[in-house]
Amino acid sequence: RGADRLGVHLGVTVTHPDKVFIGGKWSSARSGRAIEIVSPDTEQVVARIAEADEADMDAAVAAARDAFDNGPWPRMAPAERIAAFRRVIDALRPRVDELATAWNAQVGGLMSFAGPMHHGALMTLDQIAGYAGAFEFVERRESTGAPVGLVAHEPVGVVAAIAPWNAPFGSIANKVACALVTGCTVVMKPSPETPLEAYILAEAVEAAGLPPG
């Protein structure tokens, strides 16, 4: 339990809290510094995570850009991308209690609310995958002077996503989900007050075998 090594004693297992997830790999932050996560309930430090800086941001953007320009993700059939994202959801399901515990420790919200909120967030991810599966990425339309006209909806590029502190998992997951199912690559910056959910999501992405970047 790498998380315990850096002070997370919450029933939350984060394997690499001292690293950042860039290009499908866990790497040490360039700054070498750590951020202390302080519980608003107890005012105690409940976790220490890597502090990313401008150099890490540049590396993340470069990795996402290369993955978009040269990697397989934007070129997959929509059904393939959706199936891959559903593997991410499947990897998150067993960790709902961890997500709820992390939210309680970082935000101070009631555990009686945390469980239903995070189960609801997973339901939203299922819905996003379902909407993407029903969406016509290539529409056939009547066309003057041609047998048929096609309107293709294509991914736009690298998405920059920033999450607030108060409902981190829902914000993080929804933004990442919408970017990924449409074929974009994404750089996610969680709040420094509530970063643990982003680590759990990154581990789910890794477990699901998504392409690097």
Side-chain angles (χ1 to χ4, degrees):
R1 292 168 61 107
D4 288 349
R5 186 178 65 254
L6 291 186
V8 179
H9 302 285
L10 309 168
V12 179
T13 302
V14 177
T15 307
H16 302 289
D18 55 337
K19 299 184 184 300
V20 290
F21 190 62
I22 297 176
K25 298 179 180 178
W26 293 99
S27 306
S28 297
R30 272 68 167 178
S31 71
R33 297 188 298 269
I35 295 173
E36 292 187 339
I37 311 304
V38 177
S39 166
D41 285 341
T42 65
E43 298 186 355
Q44 299 298 309
V45 173
V46 294
R48 293 179 179 86
I49 58 102
E51 180 180 348
D53 61 10
E54 291 88 345
D56 298 294
M57 179 187 69
D58 289 344
V61 171
R65 184 77 246 180
D66 182 66
F68 186 82
D69 291 341
N70 304 306
W73 190 254
R75 293 156 191 84
M76 287 182 180
E80 290 183 278
R81 288 197 299 264
I82 294 162
F85 185 71
R86 286 197 179 279
R87 294 199 300 272
V88 177
I89 299 173
D90 290 341
L92 287 168
R93 291 191 201 284
R95 306 192 69 175
V96 171
D97 289 344
E98 286 184 81
L99 289 165
T101 300
W103 181 75
N104 169 260
Q106 297 169 111
V107 177
L110 296 174
M111 281 301 291
S112 59
F113 182 67
M117 179 174 70
H118 288 86
H119 280 287
L122 280 183
M123 290 175 61
T124 300
L125 294 187
D126 277 323
Q127 290 174 335
I128 291 171
Y131 293 147
F135 184 77
E136 289 188 76
F137 284 91
V138 178
E139 299 178 45
R140 298 173 64 89
R141 297 185 181 179
E142 293 184 5
S143 178
T144 303
V148 67
L150 299 178
V151 177
H153 300 268
E154 298 181 343
V156 297
V158 178
V159 173
I162 299 174
W165 65 272
N166 54 330
F169 179 66
S171 300
I172 289 168
N174 290 356
K175 293 181 180 186
V176 169
C178 291
L180 290 180
V181 297
T182 53
C184 297
T185 55
V186 58
V187 177
M188 164 51 64
K189 180 211 170 287
S191 165
E193 284 83 14
T194 53
L196 296 180
E197 292 83 351
Y199 277 89
I200 293 172
L201 178 59
E203 291 179 359
V205 166
E206 186 179 34
L210 268 62

